[in-house]
Amino acid sequence: RDGKYAWVTNSEDDKVLKVERGLQDRQRDRVVAEVGPTGGGPYGMRMSYDDREVWVADKGEGGPAGKTITVLDAEKNTVLAKVDTGCLRNDHIILSPDGGEMWATCNESHDIVVLDAKTRAIKTRIPMPNGGDSHGGVFVAYSRGPNGVVAETVSDQNGLHGSALDAQLKGTPWTVR
C-alpha cells in the first residue's frame, strides 16, 4: 500500500524478486530478496488484502503448463504454500473486492478457480462457456443511484479500484454502495 516495495516474477529461475523502491532523490530501486522456488514459470501476482501475502500464478512460462499457485510471506520473504489448482496455465490472480477470495484464471483449461484467501482451499471452479477465454477478469459492483443503475469496477488483474481500494486503505470492510 505504501509503495515501498514492488514484486517482480522471474520466470527463468522460478523465483519472485522483492524490490525496494528508491523513493528518495538519487535513490535507486534495489532487489532486497529473491523468494522461491515457486512453481514453474511464475507469471501473474496479487497481494492479499492485508498486504501480508503475495499469491503467484505458476503459469509454466517457457515450460510445461503450470498447475499451482505459490503463496509467499511478504514480510519474511519465504514460501508459505503451494496450492495445486488443477488448472492448466494459471495466468492471472484477481482479489475479490472484500479480500475473501482469490480468483485464478486458467488459460489452457478454460476455467477460473476460486480459492478461499484465508484457508487457500478451492471453493469452486467456473468453466468458461464453450471453452471460452478466461484470461482476464473484472469484479463489477452494481448499485442504484438517482439516475438509475451505476456500475463500478472494484477489482481486476491490476488490483483493487474505487470503493474497494478506499475500503482497503481505510482498513474497513468493503460493501456495495
Side-chain angles (χ1 to χ4, degrees):
R1 284 183 251 187
D2 62 9
K4 185 175 179 179
Y5 297 103
W7 293 84
V8 180
T9 55
N10 183 349
S11 293
E12 289 283 317
D13 294 328
D14 300 338
K15 293 180 182 175
V16 176
L17 306 177
K18 183 177 183 180
V19 178
E20 184 175 40
R21 311 244 347 268
L23 300 175
Q24 305 297 322
D25 286 342
R26 299 180 185 242
Q27 254 186 341
R28 293 182 169 207
D29 293 354
R30 65 185 183 97
V31 174
V32 294
E34 289 186 19
V35 187
T38 62
Y43 189 71
M45 293 182 288
R46 184 62 46 228
M47 293 291 294
S48 62
Y49 203 74
D50 60 8
D51 285 347
R52 291 185 176 149
E53 295 178 347
V54 180
W55 288 53
V56 183
D58 302 326
K59 184 176 182 178
E61 197 74 352
K67 297 181 181 181
T68 59
I69 289 174
T70 302
V71 183
L72 310 177
D73 183 310
E75 191 174 297
K76 296 178 182 173
N77 306 320
T78 58
V79 173
L80 291 173
K82 286 190 184 165
V83 180
D84 186 347
T85 62
C87 72
L88 296 176
R89 293 241 188 259
N90 289 306
D91 192 21
H92 295 287
I93 301 174
I94 304 163
L95 175 64
S96 67
D98 65 1
E101 297 174 338
M102 292 286 192
W103 289 43
T105 62
C106 309
N107 283 358
E108 286 186 21
S109 53
H110 308 287
D111 57 349
I112 296 172
V113 176
V114 181
L115 300 119
D116 183 291
K118 287 187 177 46
T119 67
R120 302 182 193 114
I122 295 174
K123 293 175 77 171
T124 192
R125 301 180 87 76
I126 304 169
M128 295 294 97
N130 301 316
D133 185 4
S134 65
H135 184 262
V138 176
F139 282 92
V140 179
Y142 295 93
S143 58
R144 295 215 179 271
N147 299 322
V149 176
V150 176
E152 174 193 17
T153 299
V154 289
S155 186
D156 62 17
Q157 58 196 34
N158 292 314
L160 298 174
H161 301 277
S163 61
L165 179 58
D166 290 343
Q168 181 195 31
L169 293 174
K170 291 176 185 171
T172 60
W174 177 82
T175 57
V176 178
R177 294 180 190 179

